[in-house]
Amino acid sequence: MPTEAHDLRHHGDAEVRDDGSALVDLAVNVRADTPPAWLRERIAESLGSLAAYPDGRAARAAVAARHGLPAERVLLTAGAAEAFVLLARALKVRRPVVVHPQFTEPEAALRDAGHTVDRVLLREEDGFRLDPAAVPEEADLVVVGNPTNPTSVLHPAASLAELARPGRTLVVDEAFMDAVPGEREALASRTDIPGLVVLRSLTKTWGLAGLRIGYVLAAPETIADLERAQPLWPVSTPALTAAEACMSSPALAEAAHAAHRIAADRAHLVAGLGEFASAGLRVVEPAEGPFVLVRLPRAAAVREHLRELGFAVRRGDTFPGLGEEWLRLAVRDRGTVSSFLQALDQALARR
C-alpha cells in the first residue's frame, strides 16, 4: 500500500462549513438551485408515510425501467458512497486497483475494509486520460470514474470496456454522467461486459446530498451479494420517493436540459479562465463534467485570497496524483462565474 500523503476523507463540503457557510460555493459539485420545487413537494408528501417501514420496490422498478434493465440488476443505496462501502465489504478481492486522480471514497472504503490498494495514476501530460494497458493484468477489482472527479475527463466507453476480464469486477462511477449531454460514453445500461458494476447518484443533478440516494447496476448475483451486506431498510421513504420521481419522463427531460445548460456555463467558465494563461493558469481540457480542474502557481494562496473575497473553491491536493498547485471549480451560472472571474483576477494580483 502506498504511503498516504493525501487526506482521502476531505471533500468539497469542508470548504463551505462553519466560517465558509456564507461564501459563494464553487467547491461542491451539486447543481445550484436544487432540489426543484416539484421534487421538494413530492418528498414532503412522503412524510405522511413515515410510520411504515420503507418499501423500495416501486423505486427499484423505476430505476430499472429508466435503464432498460430487470429489477434484479438494481440496488438502491444511501448515496453512491454507501455503495463503495458495500463493494469493499462484500466482494472477495485480492488485488484492488483504483485509478486516480478520482473521488477518494472508493479507496478509503477499501482500506477501511482491510484491503491493500494499488493505484494507477493518470498523468497530466496525457490529459489524465486512461490507457487500459496501465492497469495491472492481475487486478481483480478496478475502480474508475466517468466522467472523472476532479479531472472532468470523460473516458470512451470502449476504453473502459477493455478493462473487463473474466474474474475481475470493473466498477465505473457514473455519479456525474447525467450532467453529460446525451450521457455519452455511459455504460449503465450495458449487460454484455463481464463483471461490470455501475454506480449512479441522484445527489448531484437534483441537489439531494442531505437525503442520500444513489444506486448500483450490476449482475443479479453481485446485487445479491451487496444487498446481503446492507442493513435492513437502508434507504428512507423520502429518499425512495425522490428516486422514483427522478426517473419519470418529465424529470429525465429536465435533467437533459440541465446538462446542456451546464455545458454552456462550463464553456463560459473555461473561456474566462483562459484569460489568465499569462499568470500560469492551465485548465484540463476537454472538460465534460459539471466542474473543471485547473493548475496554477501558488494555488493554496490563491484559494485563501478567494475566500477573503467571498468565494469557496475545492483544493486539489487531497486527490492522489495531484498536488498543492491544483484547484477544482464547480460550474455555476454565468453571472456567478463572471463575479468569480473578477475575484480570481484580484486574488492573482494579491499573490
Side-chain angles (χ1 to χ4, degrees):
M1 182 181 298
T3 301
E4 188 45 57
H6 301 83
D7 181 0
L8 300 180
R9 294 297 190 186
H10 180 90
H11 300 295
D13 61 314
E15 310 282 355
V16 291
R17 289 198 301 258
D18 303 327
D19 64 343
S21 60
L23 300 177
V24 178
D25 180 10
L26 278 77
V28 176
N29 291 326
V30 173
R31 183 162 63 99
D33 301 321
T34 52
W38 65 265
L39 183 54
R40 293 198 303 270
E41 291 169 3
R42 285 287 301 274
I43 294 169
E45 290 168 2
S46 74
L47 299 182
S49 303
L50 292 185
Y53 285 96
D55 183 348
R57 290 176 295 177
R60 190 175 191 176
V63 170
R66 181 254 196 272
H67 293 288
L69 298 171
E72 58 265 27
R73 296 186 70 97
V74 176
L75 181 68
L76 300 170
T77 58
E82 187 206 6
F84 291 123
V85 173
L86 296 176
L87 288 164
R89 293 178 178 176
L91 300 186
K92 295 178 175 61
V93 296
R94 299 178 307 280
R95 187 173 180 187
V97 169
V98 179
V99 179
H100 285 289
Q102 79 149 325
F103 185 52
T104 52
E105 281 301 318
E107 179 170 329
L110 286 163
R111 286 173 174 241
D112 287 347
H115 296 286
T116 297
V117 181
D118 289 333
R119 294 172 177 170
V120 170
L121 297 179
L122 305 185
R123 304 187 308 167
E124 178 188 3
E125 53 265 42
D126 297 329
F128 295 109
R129 305 201 70 80
L130 173 67
D131 176 3
V135 176
E137 192 65 30
E138 57 271 27
D140 58 356
L141 173 70
V142 179
V143 185
V144 60
N146 204 38
T148 302
N149 170 21
T151 63
S152 206
V153 169
L154 183 66
H155 302 292
S159 295
L160 296 177
E162 285 185 41
L163 293 173
R165 302 280 189 282
R168 172 185 287 177
T169 300
L170 171 60
V171 179
V172 182
D173 177 8
E174 293 188 351
F176 295 99
M177 186 60 78
D178 56 358
V180 176
E183 297 197 359
R184 304 186 323 278
E185 314 302 343
L187 296 177
S189 299
R190 298 277 295 271
T191 60
D192 60 318
I193 300 174
L196 177 64
V197 177
V198 174
L199 274 57
R200 286 284 182 113
S201 170
L202 299 178
T203 294
K204 320 303 181 185
T205 289
W206 298 109
L208 298 174
L211 198 60
R212 311 309 306 141
I213 178 64
Y215 55 90
V216 181
L217 307 172
E221 56 270 25
T222 301
I223 294 296
D225 288 341
L226 299 178
E227 193 167 18
R228 280 192 291 270
Q230 275 187 314
L232 291 174
W233 309 291
V235 182
S236 70
T237 294
L240 293 170
T241 297
E244 185 177 1
C246 291
M247 297 300 115
S248 68
S249 294
L252 294 176
E254 181 177 329
H257 175 74
H260 285 282
R261 187 174 68 249
I262 288 168
D265 290 339
R266 183 181 61 239
H268 176 63
L269 172 60
V270 171
L273 292 170
E275 298 297 319
F276 300 102
S278 60
L281 187 149
R282 178 186 177 275
V283 182
V284 176
E285 294 187 84
E288 300 283 359
F291 45 87
V292 298
L293 182 66
V294 302
R295 182 176 187 173
L296 72 162
R298 296 187 61 203
V302 172
R303 173 175 158 270
E304 289 303 319
H305 291 326
L306 285 169
R307 292 182 72 84
E308 295 167 6
L309 294 167
F311 291 86
V313 300
R314 170 67 157 90
R315 55 190 282 201
D317 62 320
T318 64
F319 293 100
L322 302 181
E324 292 186 353
E325 68 274 25
W326 294 94
L327 299 173
R328 191 192 68 195
L329 313 175
V331 174
R332 298 294 186 241
D333 64 90
R334 289 192 173 212
T336 301
V337 166
S338 295
S339 297
F340 166 74
L341 293 171
Q342 292 175 7
L344 178 59
D345 189 28
Q346 296 179 52
L348 290 171
R350 292 188 187 183
R351 182 192 65 180

